[in-house]
């Protein structure tokens, strides 16, 4: 098999071939490492490549599989980790210069679970500073493999770029305001943001504790389900990880949406939304209806207040996460993250309590909405495939910020699970996506819905011409 074709196989697919001994974990890992060496000098998706340990893990997996001891769908499959998740002995800079020398002496829970499942860890993926909006001024940001002039998404930019470019079969990202969904949309891959509490956050640098979600980014919904099935579940090291059973996300995939009700607020999803983003959502709903889903009109709760509240809330929680180094080492921070921390530190106790009350009221209103529908369909963002030049004006353009966060941060404020699915291309050539949003802890339903959509479309199978 040509190396390029191999590197674009789905995660579950390559795992099946490895387990059938049609492919060798060692040879697959070597192919991935060779591709990273050839391409990542320009893409800059990796913060740190772990070639030696990856090959050692692949060799162990090969022996175990040869002995018939297959641990699951990820056994022997090379994946990569967003830099903020700890990998024992490897650098974990969190997109910052201030942590450049930090090497944790233990794995994050999600990393430990990937290793226990036999996955091969290729390395750490680059991210924005502190997982906020901008890359640190001294760090080269990852490039979008479709077009270097297009935005790569924030903050899991390296995860999006590497997965789209065939430099890993799947990756971990995190989402606080949209950072699994933005890079998934921008790079034409599938991203699954789990319910807050579904996945342990132990051993991952925080941006904002009650908003942070760790989740998989991969080729397709099934691959995301395979990864989530490994990393999800309660954890004694993180008591916010809920003690609910973890479903088999690869079971019961009927390939249709009969009996499923999908809600859409056509006013909310169309006002201020550009033509390409609106078209992709419309085509996604059309495909869902043809698959048997009932599409029903809903009125989504007014989200303007919680979008406005997201910034000070994120700033308050981030200020707690950074209190050991900010403002005492402010000169080592980039302007974007420093501005967020200053905003958080400027809030009063009563400001915070008002945000908490508005957030809880909004969460309740969204929960009631899900009493009448199984999923809600929304764009990934209000404008499709933004250029770097457009995103450079983000700080000066309030409408741009609102359009970016309109369909993402409300579902971090509620903790709702979402799946982001590639659904087309903008006139300029960049990928465009839409989302399904589910009830809390119904990630299995999102995987089923995403899989059904991807059985009748081919957007997720298209790859950049590198």
């Amino acid at each position: 098999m040509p190396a390029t074709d191999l590197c674009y196989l789905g995660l579950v697919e390559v795992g099946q071939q490895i387990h059938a001994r049609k492919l060798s974990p060692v040879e697959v890992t070597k192919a991935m490492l060779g591709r990273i060496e050839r391409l990542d000098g320009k893409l800059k998706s990796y913060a740190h490549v772990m070639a030696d340990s990856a090959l050692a893990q692949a060799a162990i997996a090969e022996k175990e599989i040869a002995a018939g001891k297959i641990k699951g769908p990820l056994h022997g499959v090379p994946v990569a980790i967003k830099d903020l998740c700890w990998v024992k002995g490897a650098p974990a800079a969190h997109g910052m210069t201030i942590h450049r020398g930090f090497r944790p002496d233990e794995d994050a829970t999600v990393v430990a679970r990937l290793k226990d499942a036999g996955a091969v860890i290729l390395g750490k993926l680059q991210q924005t500073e502190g997982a906020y909006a901008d890359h640190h001024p001294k760090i080269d940001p990852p490039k979008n493999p479709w077009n270097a002039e297009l935005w790569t998404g924030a903050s899991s930019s390296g995860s999006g770029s590497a997965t789209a470019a065939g430099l890993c079969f799947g990756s971990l990202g995190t989402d606080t305001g949209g950072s699994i969904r933005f890079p998934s949309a921008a790079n034409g891959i599938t991203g699954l943001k789990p319910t807050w509490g579904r996945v342990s956050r132990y051993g991952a640098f925080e941006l904002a504790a009650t908003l942070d979600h760790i989740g998989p980014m991969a080729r397709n919904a099934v691959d995301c389900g395979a990864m989530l099935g490994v990393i999800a579940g309660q954890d004694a090291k993180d008591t916010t990880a809920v003690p609910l059973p973890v479903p088999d996300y690869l079971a019961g995939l009927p390939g249709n949406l009969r009996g499923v009700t999908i809600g859409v607020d056509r006013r909310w999803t169309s006002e201020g939304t550009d033509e390409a983003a609106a078209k992709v959502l419309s085509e996604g709903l059309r495909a869902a209806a043809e698959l048997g889903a009932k599409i029903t009109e809903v009125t989504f709760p007014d989200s303007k207040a919680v979008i406005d509240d997201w910034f000070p809330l994120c700033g308050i929680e981030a200020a707690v996460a950074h209190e050991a180094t900010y403002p005492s080492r402010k000169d080592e921070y980039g302007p974007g993250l420093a501005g967020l921390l200053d905003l958080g530190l400027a809030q009063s106790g009563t400001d915070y309590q008002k945000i908490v009350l508005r957030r809880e009221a909004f969460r309740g209103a969204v929960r009631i909405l899900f009493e009448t529908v199984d999923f809600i369909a929304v764009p990934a963002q209000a404008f499709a495939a933004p250029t770097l030049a457009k995103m450079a004006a983000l700080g000066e353009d309030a409408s741009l910020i609102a359009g970016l966060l309109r369909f993402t941060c409300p579902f971090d404020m509620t903790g709702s699970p979402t799946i982001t699915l590639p659904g087309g291309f903008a006139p300029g050539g960049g990928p465009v996506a839409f989302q399904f949003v589910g009830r809390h802890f119904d990630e299995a339903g999102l995987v089923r819905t995403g899989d059904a959509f991807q059985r009748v479309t081919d957007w997720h199978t298209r790859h950049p011409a590198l």
Side-chain angles (χ1 to χ4, degrees), residues 93-185:
H94 194 23
M96 304 176 70
T97 58
I98 209 166
H99 295 305
R100 189 166 275 168
F102 176 61
R103 290 176 179 259
D105 58 8
E106 61 178 325
D107 290 326
T109 295
V110 289
V111 173
R113 289 176 176 173
L114 287 171
K115 288 182 176 180
D116 288 345
V120 174
I121 310 297
L122 292 167
K124 307 294 296 297
L125 295 164
Q126 194 57 270
Q127 61 172 79
T128 55
E129 183 185 16
Y132 188 51
D134 302 316
H135 293 87
H136 190 282
K138 293 185 178 180
I139 293 176
D140 289 334
K143 302 293 189 295
N144 189 314
W146 292 91
N147 183 335
E149 298 304 313
L150 294 177
W151 189 47
T152 317
S155 67
S156 309
S157 51
S159 300
S161 177
T163 306
L167 305 186
C168 59
F169 291 102
S171 59
L172 291 186
T174 65
D175 195 306
T176 305
S179 295
I180 286 174
R181 291 161 288 170
F182 295 145
S184 294

Side-chain angles (χ1 to χ4, degrees), residues 248-268:
D248 178 355
Y249 297 111
L250 304 189
L253 300 174
N256 65 69
L257 297 178
R258 288 191 289 273
V260 171
T261 301
I262 298 173
V264 59
D265 184 331
R266 298 197 187 272
R267 181 196 58 78
W268 181 52

Side-chain angles (χ1 to χ4, degrees), residues 214-388:
I214 301 175
M217 300 166 65
R219 306 262 188 271
N220 55 55
V222 169
D223 291 352
C224 285
M227 293 187 73
L228 182 61
V230 167
I231 64 173
Q234 70 181 105
D235 178 19
K237 294 180 178 179
D238 175 7
T239 55
T240 68
V242 295
L244 291 176
V246 177
D248 178 355
Y249 297 111
L250 304 189
L253 300 174
N256 65 69
L257 297 178
R258 288 191 289 273
V260 171
T261 301
I262 298 173
V264 59
D265 184 331
R266 298 197 187 272
R267 181 196 58 78
W268 181 52
T269 57
S270 63
E271 284 183 358
T273 304
D274 72 16
E275 184 177 349
K279 180 181 178 182
V280 163
L281 177 62
S282 177
E283 289 296 306
L285 287 168
R286 182 188 60 77
E290 291 178 354
L291 286 161
K294 177 184 177 183
I295 311 300
T296 187
E297 300 280 342
V298 297
T299 299
F300 192 74
D302 187 350
S303 59
K304 184 180 184 304
V306 295
I307 293 173
D308 290 342
D309 285 343
W310 182 90
F311 289 97
L313 177 61
C314 186
I316 291 165
E317 296 192 7
V320 173
H322 288 263
E323 63 182 343
T325 53
Y326 195 91
S328 61
R329 297 173 67 178
K330 184 173 182 175
D331 60 337
E332 297 175 66
Y333 281 72
L337 182 55
L340 177 71
L341 297 172
D342 287 338
L343 174 65
L345 292 169
Q347 306 303 307
S348 69
T350 53
D351 293 333
Y352 174 73
Q353 178 62 8
K354 290 175 183 177
I355 290 169
V356 169
L357 293 174
R358 286 190 291 266
R359 182 186 187 185
E360 288 305 310
F362 181 73
R363 285 165 61 98
V366 172
R367 184 172 59 249
I368 290 169
L369 180 59
F370 276 109
E371 293 176 1
T372 59
V373 298
D374 298 303
F375 306 104
I376 299 168
V378 296
Q381 57 206 38
F383 44 84
T387 63
L388 291 173

